[in-house]
Amino acid sequence: MSEAGGGRGCGSSVPQRAPWSLVAATAAFCLVSATSVWTAGAAPMSREERQKLGNQVLEMFDHAYGNYMEHAYPADELMPLTCRGRVRGQEPSRGDVDDALGKFSLTLIDSLDTLVVLNKTKEFEDAVRKVLRDVNLDNDVVVSVFETNIRVLGGLLGGHSLAIMLKEKGEYMQWYNDELLQMAKQLGYKLLPAFNTTSGLPYPRINLKFGIRKPEARTGTETDTCTACAGTLILEFAALSRFTGATIFEEYARKALDFLWEKRQRSSNLVGVTINIHTGDWVRKDSGVGAGIDSYYEYLLKAYVLLGDDSFLERFNTHYDAIMRYISQPPLLLDVHIHKPMLNARTWMDALLAFFPGLQVLKGDIRPAIETHEMLYQVIKKHNFLPEAFTTDFRVHWAQHPLRPEFAESTYFLYKATGDPYYLEVGKTLIENLNKYARVPCGFAAMKDVRTGSHEDRMDSFFLAEMFKYLYLLFADKEDIIFDIEDYIFTTEAHLLPLWLSTTNQSISKKNTTSEYTELDDSNFDWTCPNTQILFPNDPLYAQSIREPLKNVVDKSCPRGIIRVEESFRSGAKPPLRARDFMATNPEHLEILKKMGVSLIHLKDGRVQLVQHAIQAASSIDAEDGLRFMQEMIELSSQQQKEQQLPPRAVQIVSHPFFGRVVLTAGPAQFGLDLSKHKETRGFVASSKPYNGCSELTNPEAVMGKIALIQRGQCMFAEKARNIQNAGAIGGIVIDDNEGSSSDTAPLFQMAGDGKDTDDIKIPMLFLFSKEGSIILDAIREYEEVEVLLSDKAKDRDPEMENEEQPSSENDSQNQSAEQITSSSQEVDLVDQESPEESSLNSEPESSPADMDNAASVSASEQNSNPTENHENTSLDGECTDLDNQLQEQSETEEDSNPNVSWGKKVQPIDSILADWNEDIEAFEMMEKDEL
């Protein structure tokens, strides 16, 4: 994400318009000048320990890169569980995630400059030769313009930058003659047709061979793109122009940035997540610093650093002021509506915002960087990794973790800025967690669910491009790196571009268009790197004092979350009614609802419906409170529905040669031993006879004291459980009878009982799809005795057993796969609206999958009489009980397109509230459908 050098000069002053050569020369000092400030915030780490950790990072990289080259190359990515390459079209489609794959050896290109940073110059030279010999950029495949730019174009340019550096040193790459640059130029021209729109914003996808809109291109019909997708091009495209002298690339990237700036919401100075590439209308009007927007802000600041164009800094500072005014709620960063920036758009955060503390270091705003970083670290300490999304009270919202590097990146830059050894300890924790939970025989596997520790057969190229680079630099001394890292800027994919490009081929006019759009406050812009004595007071415990209040923020019971109250116009007034506090039988609450224009309707089936008519509210402020209340109810309803479901369980193979490395995610049962409340069950597995388990077992001696394997079908799950229990089994694993079924394509579900009393079933029962079950069956055929662990989540591996591990053959490794959870859809019905999709488990009483229909409503009488017995009324944290409501929202007004409405005033006209009703609800619902 961030830049290695720092800001625009150092010390207390640099001339406001210093020559860029001076700025580039002094930029490197900005981040490292503070390294001597702190000495007592944490125990210093010895040079020997830092070298040991650095060597450990090198070994980890060799494990990942070596397995990619051995088992996957020339495929784009490694599938580390099955020890093979991921080739587009040969594996089941993963949707938009596959748009990064273009049959161009993605991982190799993305890793080029990492090899040099890690001082693997011989391997780098060999890798460059392979790229030149094997990589084809003319494939008939549709790829993401954004991903191809940051990973492939950026990788080629980063490789070229370090190839010419090594050539100048005189030992390596003496044969090199700009071949990588020529490939980058070829790719740049292949991406240019994507910019053929009236706005100048690029199409999100392009066919490498046929471009856009041709029948054989299979793309060009899209109308929307994300802000980051259109706004994260300037570094790579400008570098390509500066390297080659072809100005067209920088011109197109600048035009896209200019258009995004012009379309920002004028009163809030925020941008939305998704924009129409033809009309410039915002499709999604929520704004944050995470997925969909993140690197747009990053590239505005870095474009200023690399290109020296003041307008980029002015735009960044304008946006940054809005971010800190509306989105930043220390230590949280919460999305808001661009038209109503005082109104939170969601109550959860995504993992991509972990880059932001690093960007704040580059900006020079250290305190909020420390706060947000510490909050994220506490989440990691709770879950071992940062979940793809988590709520404001730090529960898992999306459980995946694809080994993202953004947190490691911010850790590195905070250490560079502060010198606080605390951040070395954070990096050490990251290394330990990767080796303990993600490392598998053929690389490092992404986490499918951080709660269970299950793996996904995935190792993205950015893991090698970024993670190892930042971790190595965190522990490396200057002499450990063969070149001066401070002479380069990091792209969002951590590729290195030399700062001297700022004075090369400057043929692009630098017209400052910023002032045409807004009147700027000069006090908002810093033209120098902040004085470190201002950033970091002499107190060596300064950073520790900021972190300390956040140490237990994740573990507080029943947190109320972060509530934003516009105190500027609510001074002395009672806070508005929150959704989680609402009681349908409380007369005072009903009166407040009426004041907010919200009607409560009791349905014949006992459910409660809420309907808001903003025009019926007592005032515009009450109408806005009503809007917030309804949106909180949507969030709360969907959140509680997810929590009603039993969480997935884990089947961990612990015998030789697996030693706990392979974790399969299993569906739970609504009967039998609850693994979340009792100790895990460990034992060897044995197939039952008959295999379907629908009658008395004929081989009780084989399953006695073991975990029985049973095939799905022909009878109820509970009947199978009773039969194997009677035979002496200590647990059961039901394997799907639908050959080829996999969690890649089917939702996981719960095994339901048979409608009778199932208290007699005392053993744990778990369910595996056919693909995952075959991993255990193949292991039995190969090794005869296979021991597994049934638990609520994967357990730590046994180090002693791992030390005994013998290198497995490629065929052995190919049998070590892991379960992938695919979330099913669950609906929260809204009148005249699409239903937001939520993650859930489906309940299955028999042998065919069927969705479980869970209404988002409960009876008010049930809620008050005995909430603990009501399945629909699930406790949030085991202590807090809330009402789950079915919501209906109606709109009676049209959207107000006036961009000059100011939301900073104390009171909004009722017409203004009504005008934005439709767009706010639409944006909120689309947020729930968002995929990272």
Side-chain angles (χ1 to χ4, degrees):
M1 178 297 291
S2 295
E3 188 266 325
R8 289 285 312 261
C10 294
S12 59
S13 65
V14 166
Q16 191 176 58
R17 293 295 189 273
W20 181 249
S21 57
L22 170 63
V23 172
T26 58
F29 182 63
C30 289
L31 286 180
V32 299
S33 60
T35 57
S36 62
V37 174
W38 274 308
T39 58
M45 183 178 288
S46 67
R47 174 174 170 79
E48 290 73 21
E49 186 174 1
R50 285 189 285 110
Q51 286 182 330
K52 180 181 178 181
L53 290 168
N55 290 334
Q56 195 170 354
V57 174
L58 293 177
E59 186 279 330
M60 293 166 66
F61 174 82
D62 289 341
H63 180 67
Y65 180 76
N67 274 286
Y68 165 75
M69 296 304 297
E70 178 181 354
H71 298 296
Y73 182 79
D76 283 316
E77 289 179 346
L78 169 69
M79 299 173 68
L81 298 178
T82 51
C83 301
R84 56 196 173 96
R86 184 180 295 279
V87 179
R88 188 90 173 262
Q90 294 184 12
E91 300 294 333
S93 174
R94 300 175 298 169
D96 292 347
V97 175
D98 284 339
D99 287 344
L101 311 181
K103 298 182 179 179
F104 36 37
S105 301
L106 175 63
T107 298
L108 181 62
I109 293 177
D110 225 0
S111 304
L112 287 177
D113 50 8
T114 304
L115 289 166
V116 182
V117 171
L118 273 55
N119 201 13
K120 297 180 179 294
T121 48
K122 184 180 183 302
E123 291 87 342
F124 171 73
E125 192 160 4
D126 292 341
V128 172
R129 292 184 186 277
K130 284 185 173 65
V131 169
L132 300 180
R133 182 191 68 202
D134 299 336
V135 173
N136 177 24
L137 298 175
D138 196 41
N139 299 312
D140 180 14
V141 59
V142 176
V143 296
S144 161
V145 173
F146 167 76
E147 297 289 356
T148 304
N149 172 67
I150 65 171
R151 300 203 207 187
V152 185
L153 183 58
L156 292 171
L157 292 173
H160 170 71
S161 299
L162 298 189
I164 59 178
M165 178 274 297
L166 290 173
K167 184 177 182 179
E168 289 176 359
K169 287 181 175 290
E171 182 177 357
Y172 294 96
M173 303 300 294
Q174 296 304 299
W175 55 269
Y176 182 71
N177 193 29
D178 295 350
E179 288 88 351
L180 289 178
L181 179 60
Q182 296 309 312
M183 289 185 68
K185 187 176 181 180
Q186 176 192 0
L187 180 60
Y189 278 118
K190 285 185 171 294
L191 295 179
L192 283 183
F195 292 84
N196 188 23
T197 61
T198 55
S199 66
L201 300 178
Y203 282 95
R205 299 175 186 84
I206 194 168
N207 188 297
L208 289 175
K209 187 177 185 69
F210 297 108
I212 295 287
R213 288 190 172 178
K214 295 180 181 178
E216 55 270 24
R218 306 185 304 283
T219 189
T221 59
E222 302 94 336
T223 59
D224 307 333
T225 193
C226 72
T227 299
C229 299
T232 310
L233 300 159
I234 187 63
L235 291 188
E236 292 84 0
F237 272 50
L240 184 57
S241 288
R242 302 297 175 96
F243 271 130
T244 64
T247 62
I248 187 171
F249 304 109
E250 186 172 343
E251 290 171 352
Y252 274 68
R254 281 178 176 265
K255 183 179 179 183
L257 275 180
D258 290 344
F259 190 83
L260 288 173
W261 170 254
E262 184 179 359
K263 290 299 180 179
R264 77 193 186 285
Q265 212 290 323
R266 303 303 175 86
S267 62
S268 67
N269 282 321
L270 295 172
V271 292
V273 173
T274 309
I275 191 171
N276 186 296
I277 60 177
H278 303 297
T279 67
D281 295 333
W282 290 110
V283 179
R284 277 192 44 187
K285 304 176 181 68
D286 48 311
S287 183
V289 296
I293 303 180
D294 48 3
S295 49
Y296 162 69
Y297 295 132
E298 176 187 353
Y299 270 37
L300 284 177
L301 182 56
K302 291 184 177 180
Y304 168 64
V305 174
L306 182 64
L307 307 178
D309 189 335
D310 295 343
S311 68
F312 291 131
L313 178 63
E314 293 175 357
R315 295 179 191 183
F316 172 79
N317 277 325
T318 300
H319 285 313
Y320 187 78
D321 178 74
I323 290 169
M324 300 309 292
R325 185 187 305 271
Y326 303 119
I327 295 171
S328 176
Q329 301 175 46
L332 309 183
L333 293 163
L334 293 178
D335 286 14
V336 299
H337 295 282
I338 59 175
H339 294 98
K340 284 183 175 23
M342 296 302 294
L343 183 63
N344 287 338
R346 58 172 59 142
T347 59
W348 50 270
M349 296 164 281
D350 65 69
L352 286 172
L353 61 77
F355 90 100
F356 198 67
L359 187 64
Q360 290 179 306
V361 170
L362 179 58
K363 160 70 177 173
D365 199 0
I366 194 70
R367 183 183 185 93
I370 293 173
E371 291 175 332
T372 299
H373 179 275
E374 181 61 25
M375 176 271 293
L376 295 171
Y377 185 44
Q378 295 303 317
V379 175
I380 288 174
K381 288 203 293 186
K382 180 176 182 179
H383 299 293
N384 299 321
F385 298 98
L386 196 62
E388 278 291 75
F390 54 94
T391 63
T392 55
D393 45 8
F394 310 111
R395 288 173 296 177
V396 173
H397 187 72
W398 293 329
Q400 305 95 322
H401 173 74
L403 306 183
R404 294 198 183 277
E406 285 77 14
F407 180 78
E409 171 188 350
S410 289
T411 302
Y412 165 65
F413 285 105
L414 271 168
Y415 176 67
K416 291 288 287 183
T418 67
D420 189 344
Y422 176 82
Y423 296 109
L424 296 177
E425 296 296 334
V426 173
K428 181 179 179 180
T429 299
L430 298 181
I431 291 174
E432 291 173 347
N433 287 351
L434 285 171
N435 279 320
K436 191 172 185 179
Y437 302 110
R439 186 167 182 143
V440 294
C442 285
F444 290 84
M447 307 306 296
K448 185 62 180 175
D449 193 316
V450 298
R451 297 165 299 188
T452 63
S454 58
H455 293 133
E456 186 175 358
D457 202 1
R458 169 183 179 183
M459 188 178 79
D460 290 83
S461 68
F462 55 68
F463 182 59
L464 284 83
E466 301 183 66
M467 181 68 82
F468 296 115
K469 197 175 292 177
Y470 288 125
L471 288 178
Y472 182 74
L473 290 172
L474 176 64
F475 298 104
D477 291 324
K478 191 171 184 179
E479 56 269 24
D480 295 331
I481 307 171
I482 62 175
F483 64 98
D484 191 351
I485 196 74
E486 311 296 350
D487 290 338
Y488 296 81
I489 186 173
F490 281 128
T491 68
T492 196
E493 191 77 2
H495 294 307
L496 296 168
L497 300 176
L499 290 172
W500 54 257
L501 287 175
S502 60
T503 58
T504 304
N505 291 324
Q506 292 179 295
S507 57
I508 304 296
S509 62
K510 298 178 182 177
K511 179 182 178 183
N512 188 335
T513 56
T514 301
S515 58
E516 296 178 7
Y517 304 123
T518 185
E519 188 172 325
L520 296 172
D521 177 6
D522 287 340
S523 65
N524 201 27
F525 308 126
D526 296 324
W527 298 98
T528 65
C529 180
N531 189 316
T532 57
Q533 296 303 312
I534 298 175
L535 271 182
F536 321 118
N538 291 327
D539 180 6
L541 299 179
Y542 172 68
Q544 183 178 344
S545 68
I546 297 175
R547 293 192 299 262
E548 196 61 34
L550 304 172
K551 290 295 185 183
N552 300 316
V553 67
V554 173
D555 297 322
K556 291 179 180 177
S557 60
C558 294
R560 306 303 290 178
I562 302 300
I563 301 175
R564 166 166 293 179
V565 179
E566 296 84 345
E567 294 182 354
S568 59
F569 62 87
R570 295 190 188 281
S571 179
K574 294 176 64 175
L577 178 64
R578 316 311 300 190
R580 64 174 65 231
D581 300 326
F582 172 68
M583 300 287 288
T585 57
N586 187 320
E588 182 180 354
H589 288 182
L590 297 179
E591 187 62 29
I592 295 174
L593 289 188
K594 183 178 180 181
K595 190 176 180 182
M596 294 189 299
V598 179
S599 303
L600 184 145
I601 304 173
H602 291 274
L603 302 179
K604 293 181 179 179
D605 58 7
R607 294 181 299 163
V608 173
Q609 289 183 342
L610 298 177
V611 181
Q612 189 198 30
H613 299 274
I615 198 171
Q616 297 178 4
S619 68
S620 59
I621 294 177
D622 290 314
E624 191 165 351
D625 285 344
L627 171 63
R628 181 188 297 108
F629 177 83
M630 297 294 285
Q631 291 172 336
E632 287 179 357
M633 270 297 183
I634 296 175
E635 243 349 93
L636 186 60
S637 175
S638 59
Q639 185 173 291
Q640 289 180 332
Q641 283 189 35
K642 288 194 297 181
E643 291 175 350
Q644 294 173 149
Q645 309 302 324
L646 291 176
R649 307 299 187 211
V651 176
Q652 191 170 9
I653 307 179
V654 296
S655 55
H656 172 82
F658 304 96
F659 301 119
R661 291 182 181 276
V662 174
V663 182
L664 310 176
T665 300
Q670 295 177 349
F671 53 86
L673 183 71
D674 186 349
L675 291 170
S676 66
K677 299 178 181 179
H678 298 82
K679 186 177 179 181
E680 68 275 0
T681 298
R682 178 169 179 163
F684 289 92
V685 296
S687 296
S688 62
K689 294 182 181 179
Y691 189 31
N692 60 31
C694 290
S695 60
E696 182 179 349
L697 267 58
T698 61
N699 63 335
E701 69 287 347
V703 300
M704 174 74 71
K706 296 183 179 180
I707 296 173
L709 302 180
I710 332 160
Q711 188 177 50
R712 181 185 183 183
Q714 301 185 35
C715 65
M716 307 296 284
F717 291 126
E719 184 177 350
K720 299 175 188 289
R722 290 187 179 97
N723 287 329
I724 64 171
Q725 179 176 272
N726 292 336
I730 61 174
I733 299 175
V734 179
I735 299 176
D736 194 10
D737 61 341
N738 182 10
E739 186 175 355
S741 67
S742 166
S743 62
D744 294 343
T745 55
L748 204 65
F749 60 86
Q750 302 175 47
M751 295 184 291
D754 54 5
K756 305 175 184 177
D757 185 2
T758 56
D759 290 344
D760 59 313
I761 301 176
K762 306 297 183 182
I763 62 174
M765 295 291 294
L766 298 180
F767 176 89
L768 292 176
F769 280 109
S770 172
K771 176 184 174 183
E772 289 72 36
S774 65
I775 295 173
I776 295 180
L777 297 175
D778 290 343
I780 293 175
R781 283 190 286 269
E782 183 75 18
Y783 305 106
E784 294 186 0
E785 291 194 343
V786 175
E787 188 177 17
V788 300
L789 186 73
L790 311 183
S791 61
D792 61 334
K793 63 183 297 184
K795 305 302 177 185
D796 294 347
R797 300 164 187 164
D798 188 338
E800 296 181 2
M801 295 180 67
E802 289 201 41
N803 291 335
E804 300 172 4
E805 179 180 357
Q806 300 297 322
S808 58
S809 67
E810 180 175 348
N811 291 334
D812 295 340
S813 300
Q814 287 175 347
N815 290 327
Q816 300 178 28
S817 181
E819 177 63 43
Q820 300 179 16
I821 310 171
T822 301
S823 298
S824 65
S825 296
Q826 180 171 309
E827 297 181 350
V828 178
D829 293 327
L830 301 176
V831 172
D832 299 324
Q833 301 288 351
E834 291 293 324
S835 303
E837 294 182 1
E838 288 296 339
S839 177
S840 70
L841 291 171
N842 289 335
S843 178
E844 278 294 311
E846 298 187 4
S847 60
S848 61
D851 291 338
M852 181 171 63
D853 183 16
N854 287 320
S857 309
V858 299
S859 165
S861 59
E862 290 175 344
Q863 189 265 348
N864 286 286
S865 61
N866 194 347
T868 60
E869 294 181 2
N870 183 5
H871 180 67
E872 292 291 330
N873 189 19
T874 303
S875 169
L876 295 180
D877 285 302
E879 300 175 11
C880 308
T881 305
D882 295 280
L883 179 64
D884 194 6
N885 291 291
Q886 180 178 15
L887 306 177
Q888 290 184 329
E889 302 177 60
Q890 298 179 349
S891 172
E892 301 179 3
T893 59
E894 297 181 354
E895 182 179 68
D896 183 2
S897 60
N898 181 8
N900 299 317
V901 176
S902 173
W903 295 103
K905 299 179 181 179
K906 293 184 178 180
V907 179
Q908 304 299 324
I910 188 66
D911 291 340
S912 177
I913 298 291
L914 295 173
D916 286 332
W917 172 259
N918 275 334
E919 67 183 39
D920 288 338
I921 293 300
E922 177 189 8
F924 185 84
E925 291 179 348
M926 293 188 70
M927 271 178 271
E928 284 299 305
K929 296 180 181 179
D930 183 28
E931 294 283 339
L932 281 178

mmCIF file of all heavy atoms in Angstrom, residues 104 190 192 215 250 299 406 438 462 571 620 664 692 751 759 765 776 811:
data_model
loop_
_atom_site.group_PDB
_atom_site.id
_atom_site.type_symbol
_atom_site.label_atom_id
_atom_site.label_comp_id
_atom_site.label_asym_id
_atom_site.label_seq_id
_atom_site.Cartn_x
_atom_site.Cartn_y
_atom_site.Cartn_z
ATOM 1 N N PHE A 104 -1.026 -15.605 -17.422
ATOM 2 C CA PHE A 104 0.259 -14.926 -17.649
ATOM 3 C C PHE A 104 1.211 -15.102 -16.463
ATOM 4 O O PHE A 104 1.991 -14.208 -16.151
ATOM 5 C CB PHE A 104 0.064 -13.444 -17.960
ATOM 6 C CG PHE A 104 -1.057 -12.746 -17.227
ATOM 7 C CD1 PHE A 104 -1.377 -13.047 -15.899
ATOM 8 C CD2 PHE A 104 -1.817 -11.771 -17.873
ATOM 9 C CE1 PHE A 104 -2.402 -12.392 -15.246
ATOM 10 C CE2 PHE A 104 -2.839 -11.105 -17.212
ATOM 11 C CZ PHE A 104 -3.132 -11.421 -15.892
ATOM 12 N N LYS A 190 -2.612 -2.820 -24.432
ATOM 13 C CA LYS A 190 -3.757 -3.735 -24.410
ATOM 14 C C LYS A 190 -4.839 -3.246 -23.449
ATOM 15 O O LYS A 190 -6.016 -3.561 -23.615
ATOM 16 C CB LYS A 190 -3.297 -5.145 -24.023
ATOM 17 C CG LYS A 190 -2.569 -5.876 -25.137
ATOM 18 C CD LYS A 190 -2.244 -7.297 -24.739
ATOM 19 C CE LYS A 190 -1.720 -8.082 -25.919
ATOM 20 N NZ LYS A 190 -2.752 -8.267 -26.982
ATOM 21 N N LEU A 192 -5.474 0.052 -22.836
ATOM 22 C CA LEU A 192 -5.989 1.366 -23.224
ATOM 23 C C LEU A 192 -7.421 1.342 -23.781
ATOM 24 O O LEU A 192 -8.188 2.273 -23.521
ATOM 25 C CB LEU A 192 -5.055 2.029 -24.237
ATOM 26 C CG LEU A 192 -3.772 2.641 -23.678
ATOM 27 C CD1 LEU A 192 -2.981 3.332 -24.786
ATOM 28 C CD2 LEU A 192 -4.073 3.631 -22.558
ATOM 29 N N PRO A 215 -17.671 -9.021 -30.470
ATOM 30 C CA PRO A 215 -18.432 -10.200 -30.031
ATOM 31 C C PRO A 215 -17.554 -11.237 -29.342
ATOM 32 O O PRO A 215 -17.951 -11.837 -28.348
ATOM 33 C CB PRO A 215 -19.017 -10.749 -31.342
ATOM 34 C CG PRO A 215 -19.093 -9.559 -32.235
ATOM 35 C CD PRO A 215 -17.913 -8.691 -31.883
ATOM 36 N N GLU A 250 -0.131 8.142 -19.084
ATOM 37 C CA GLU A 250 -0.341 9.073 -17.983
ATOM 38 C C GLU A 250 -1.534 9.973 -18.246
ATOM 39 O O GLU A 250 -2.291 10.299 -17.324
ATOM 40 C CB GLU A 250 0.922 9.918 -17.780
ATOM 41 C CG GLU A 250 0.844 10.819 -16.547
ATOM 42 C CD GLU A 250 2.164 11.509 -16.246
ATOM 43 O OE1 GLU A 250 3.215 11.063 -16.764
ATOM 44 O OE2 GLU A 250 2.144 12.496 -15.482
ATOM 45 N N TYR A 299 -3.460 6.595 -3.906
ATOM 46 C CA TYR A 299 -2.771 7.026 -5.116
ATOM 47 C C TYR A 299 -2.785 8.535 -5.303
ATOM 48 O O TYR A 299 -1.942 9.078 -6.006
ATOM 49 C CB TYR A 299 -3.361 6.303 -6.330
ATOM 50 C CG TYR A 299 -2.640 4.999 -6.622
ATOM 51 C CD1 TYR A 299 -2.188 4.201 -5.577
ATOM 52 C CD2 TYR A 299 -2.401 4.559 -7.915
ATOM 53 C CE1 TYR A 299 -1.510 3.012 -5.820
ATOM 54 C CE2 TYR A 299 -1.727 3.379 -8.165
ATOM 55 C CZ TYR A 299 -1.274 2.604 -7.121
ATOM 56 O OH TYR A 299 -0.597 1.439 -7.362
ATOM 57 N N GLU A 406 -2.236 -6.090 4.267
ATOM 58 C CA GLU A 406 -2.379 -4.675 4.616
ATOM 59 C C GLU A 406 -1.985 -4.366 6.061
ATOM 60 O O GLU A 406 -1.394 -3.314 6.338
ATOM 61 C CB GLU A 406 -3.817 -4.208 4.354
ATOM 62 C CG GLU A 406 -4.160 -4.005 2.886
ATOM 63 C CD GLU A 406 -4.416 -5.296 2.152
ATOM 64 O OE1 GLU A 406 -4.597 -6.344 2.825
ATOM 65 O OE2 GLU A 406 -4.419 -5.286 0.903
ATOM 66 N N ALA A 438 -1.532 -21.258 8.927
ATOM 67 C CA ALA A 438 -1.733 -21.183 7.473
ATOM 68 C C ALA A 438 -0.758 -22.052 6.691
ATOM 69 O O ALA A 438 -1.005 -22.340 5.523
ATOM 70 C CB ALA A 438 -1.618 -19.725 6.999
ATOM 71 N N PHE A 462 -0.657 -11.782 -4.280
ATOM 72 C CA PHE A 462 -0.272 -10.650 -3.440
ATOM 73 C C PHE A 462 0.398 -11.092 -2.143
ATOM 74 O O PHE A 462 1.076 -10.304 -1.501
ATOM 75 C CB PHE A 462 -1.468 -9.736 -3.145
ATOM 76 C CG PHE A 462 -2.672 -10.403 -2.532
ATOM 77 C CD1 PHE A 462 -2.647 -10.923 -1.247
ATOM 78 C CD2 PHE A 462 -3.864 -10.479 -3.253
ATOM 79 C CE1 PHE A 462 -3.763 -11.517 -0.674
ATOM 80 C CE2 PHE A 462 -4.989 -11.073 -2.696
ATOM 81 C CZ PHE A 462 -4.934 -11.596 -1.396
ATOM 82 N N SER A 571 -27.617 19.148 22.079
ATOM 83 C CA SER A 571 -27.095 19.437 23.404
ATOM 84 C C SER A 571 -28.224 19.420 24.443
ATOM 85 O O SER A 571 -29.216 20.119 24.330
ATOM 86 C CB SER A 571 -26.407 20.801 23.417
ATOM 87 O OG SER A 571 -25.911 21.098 24.697
ATOM 88 N N SER A 620 -37.888 17.291 11.068
ATOM 89 C CA SER A 620 -36.878 16.722 10.179
ATOM 90 C C SER A 620 -35.848 15.929 10.969
ATOM 91 O O SER A 620 -35.354 14.890 10.515
ATOM 92 C CB SER A 620 -36.180 17.835 9.395
ATOM 93 O OG SER A 620 -35.564 18.761 10.269
ATOM 94 N N LEU A 664 -10.701 -29.701 7.668
ATOM 95 C CA LEU A 664 -11.895 -29.752 6.832
ATOM 96 C C LEU A 664 -13.052 -29.121 7.603
ATOM 97 O O LEU A 664 -13.295 -29.471 8.754
ATOM 98 C CB LEU A 664 -12.241 -31.199 6.475
ATOM 99 C CG LEU A 664 -11.100 -32.059 5.927
ATOM 100 C CD1 LEU A 664 -11.576 -33.483 5.708
ATOM 101 C CD2 LEU A 664 -10.557 -31.457 4.635
ATOM 102 N N ASN A 692 -24.172 -47.147 4.503
ATOM 103 C CA ASN A 692 -25.178 -46.101 4.716
ATOM 104 C C ASN A 692 -25.591 -45.992 6.176
ATOM 105 O O ASN A 692 -26.272 -45.046 6.565
ATOM 106 C CB ASN A 692 -26.405 -46.315 3.817
ATOM 107 C CG ASN A 692 -27.094 -47.642 4.069
ATOM 108 O OD1 ASN A 692 -27.089 -48.166 5.191
ATOM 109 N ND2 ASN A 692 -27.704 -48.206 3.018
ATOM 110 N N MET A 751 -27.348 -30.881 10.061
ATOM 111 C CA MET A 751 -28.115 -32.124 10.027
ATOM 112 C C MET A 751 -29.191 -32.057 11.110
ATOM 113 O O MET A 751 -28.878 -31.891 12.296
ATOM 114 C CB MET A 751 -27.203 -33.334 10.259
ATOM 115 C CG MET A 751 -26.187 -33.559 9.161
ATOM 116 S SD MET A 751 -25.215 -35.074 9.411
ATOM 117 C CE MET A 751 -24.228 -34.618 10.838
ATOM 118 N N ASP A 759 -32.474 -37.023 22.475
ATOM 119 C CA ASP A 759 -31.595 -36.925 23.644
ATOM 120 C C ASP A 759 -30.791 -38.198 23.867
ATOM 121 O O ASP A 759 -29.791 -38.188 24.591
ATOM 122 C CB ASP A 759 -32.405 -36.601 24.897
ATOM 123 C CG ASP A 759 -32.963 -35.186 24.880
ATOM 124 O OD1 ASP A 759 -32.474 -34.380 24.055
ATOM 125 O OD2 ASP A 759 -33.884 -34.892 25.667
ATOM 126 N N MET A 765 -21.780 -35.745 15.813
ATOM 127 C CA MET A 765 -22.014 -36.088 14.409
ATOM 128 C C MET A 765 -21.670 -34.863 13.540
ATOM 129 O O MET A 765 -22.135 -33.753 13.818
ATOM 130 C CB MET A 765 -23.466 -36.496 14.188
ATOM 131 C CG MET A 765 -23.888 -37.773 14.898
ATOM 132 S SD MET A 765 -23.104 -39.253 14.205
ATOM 133 C CE MET A 765 -23.841 -39.280 12.564
ATOM 134 N N ILE A 776 -10.446 -37.912 3.361
ATOM 135 C CA ILE A 776 -10.258 -38.888 4.436
ATOM 136 C C ILE A 776 -10.216 -40.305 3.866
ATOM 137 O O ILE A 776 -9.377 -41.123 4.249
ATOM 138 C CB ILE A 776 -11.382 -38.752 5.482
ATOM 139 C CG1 ILE A 776 -11.301 -37.380 6.173
ATOM 140 C CG2 ILE A 776 -11.295 -39.869 6.511
ATOM 141 C CD1 ILE A 776 -12.369 -37.157 7.222
ATOM 142 N N ASN A 811 2.341 -36.846 -4.872
ATOM 143 C CA ASN A 811 1.051 -37.516 -4.867
ATOM 144 C C ASN A 811 0.430 -37.484 -3.484
ATOM 145 O O ASN A 811 -0.777 -37.334 -3.337
ATOM 146 C CB ASN A 811 1.213 -38.962 -5.346
ATOM 147 C CG ASN A 811 1.553 -39.030 -6.821
ATOM 148 O OD1 ASN A 811 1.209 -38.107 -7.559
ATOM 149 N ND2 ASN A 811 2.221 -40.099 -7.247
#
